[in-house]
Amino acid sequence: QTNNTNEDGEETDGEESSGLLARIGPGRSKPVHIDDRVMALHRFFDVYTTGRLGYCELRNMQLRTNGDDLDIEVYRMICEELDIDPREGLTAEALQRTYSSGGGNISEDYKKVFPSESVAAIFSSAEVEKLGVNLQGDYPFLAAERLEKVTLIFKHFDDDQTGLLSYRKLRQLQLQTSGEDMDGPQFSTVCSMYGRDPHDGITLENLR
C-alpha cells in the first residue's frame, strides 16, 4: 500500500489507480462540500436528468476524462464502496467523494470536458441545472436532451439575436466547444450542405 494525497491535501491509503477506478476512502458519513467543477461535470454527464450518474453516464465520463472503459462490475464495486444502489447511480456528493479520495484529478478532468470557461459557464449556471448534455463523442443520450442543449448553445453564440450563426459565430462555437479552428472554405462547405448562403449563415434547425 502507498499513501496518496488528494487535492485537499489529505492522505489516503491504498494502491494508486487512475480515474474513477480508485478506491473510495473512508469517512462517508461526513458532510461533503461539493466543488463547483464537480457539480458542472455531474450536470454535464447527467443526460437523463435524474440527479444521479448511472452506469452508462459514469462510463461516458470515464471514457471522456480518462480514456479507459468502465466495466459494469467495476461500476457496481464503486457503488458498493459508496453505499449506493447501482440501479440509482452516483449523486454529485458521491462523485465529489471519489475525487476527494483520489479517484481522479478534478482540475484536469474539468479542463478536458470544458476547454473554454465561457462554455463551462453555460453548464455551471443554475438555469440549466436540469439539463443533461453531451454534444461530443459517441455517447448515449436522449434526443430531446440534445435538442434542448443545442438550442441553448445556439442562443449563447447568436450574440446579436439574428437567428443565424455567421462565420464569426460558428467559428467561435467551434473553437470553444472542440478547440479546433474553422476557416472560410470550411464554413462555406457547411453552408452548402444545408443550402444556406454563406453571407447569411446557418439556422438553429441546421445546427440541430
Side-chain angles (χ1 to χ4, degrees):
Q1 286 189 334
T2 59
N3 289 330
N4 301 325
T5 302
N6 62 27
E7 291 193 355
D8 297 322
E10 301 169 339
E11 279 195 350
T12 57
D13 296 328
E15 296 180 355
E16 292 184 359
S17 55
S18 61
L20 297 170
L21 307 184
R23 184 177 66 83
I24 308 304
R28 290 190 294 260
S29 61
K30 296 179 181 179
V32 174
H33 167 71
I34 303 176
D35 189 297
D36 289 342
R37 295 168 298 178
V38 172
M39 183 62 73
L41 286 173
H42 192 277
R43 289 172 181 166
F44 185 97
F45 289 99
D46 182 19
V47 295
Y48 296 110
T49 64
T50 61
R52 292 175 175 268
L53 300 183
Y55 170 62
C56 289
E57 295 164 318
L58 198 64
R59 181 188 179 197
N60 290 349
M61 180 174 175
Q62 175 83 356
L63 285 167
R64 182 71 176 273
T65 59
N66 186 258
D68 295 332
D69 205 347
L70 182 65
D71 184 80
I72 184 65
E73 292 304 321
V74 176
Y75 167 74
R76 288 172 179 164
M77 179 190 73
I78 292 172
C79 291
E80 181 179 349
E81 291 287 343
L82 292 166
D83 287 335
I84 289 175
D85 187 335
R87 295 170 296 182
E88 296 181 356
L90 277 68
T91 61
E93 179 179 339
L95 185 61
Q96 177 68 60
R97 290 189 186 282
T98 68
Y99 279 110
S100 297
S101 62
N105 185 304
I106 182 58
S107 297
E108 292 184 3
D109 290 353
Y110 185 80
K111 289 178 182 178
K112 289 176 183 177
V113 176
F114 302 116
S116 165
E117 281 301 318
S118 64
V119 174
I122 299 175
F123 303 112
S124 301
S125 62
E127 66 185 47
V128 296
E129 182 174 355
K130 294 183 179 180
L131 288 179
V133 57
N134 206 329
L135 296 179
Q136 300 176 4
D138 185 19
Y139 306 125
F141 50 81
L142 295 177
E145 300 293 343
R146 181 182 184 280
L147 292 177
E148 200 166 6
K149 180 50 64 177
V150 169
T151 300
L152 187 64
I153 292 289
F154 185 95
K155 291 180 178 179
H156 176 75
F157 287 96
D158 182 22
D159 48 22
D160 55 3
Q161 300 180 342
T162 62
L164 295 167
L165 292 187
S166 62
Y167 169 58
R168 174 186 65 82
K169 299 175 187 176
L170 194 62
R171 182 187 182 193
Q172 185 180 24
L173 187 156
Q174 176 90 346
L175 283 169
Q176 296 192 18
T177 57
S178 70
E180 299 179 1
D181 202 352
M182 171 185 287
D183 59 27
Q186 289 175 319
F187 176 71
S188 296
T189 299
V190 171
C191 289
S192 64
M193 287 173 55
Y194 298 106
R196 300 290 308 173
D197 186 334
H199 292 94
D200 295 330
I202 65 174
T203 65
L204 172 59
E205 291 302 318
N206 299 149
L207 190 63
R208 285 177 171 177

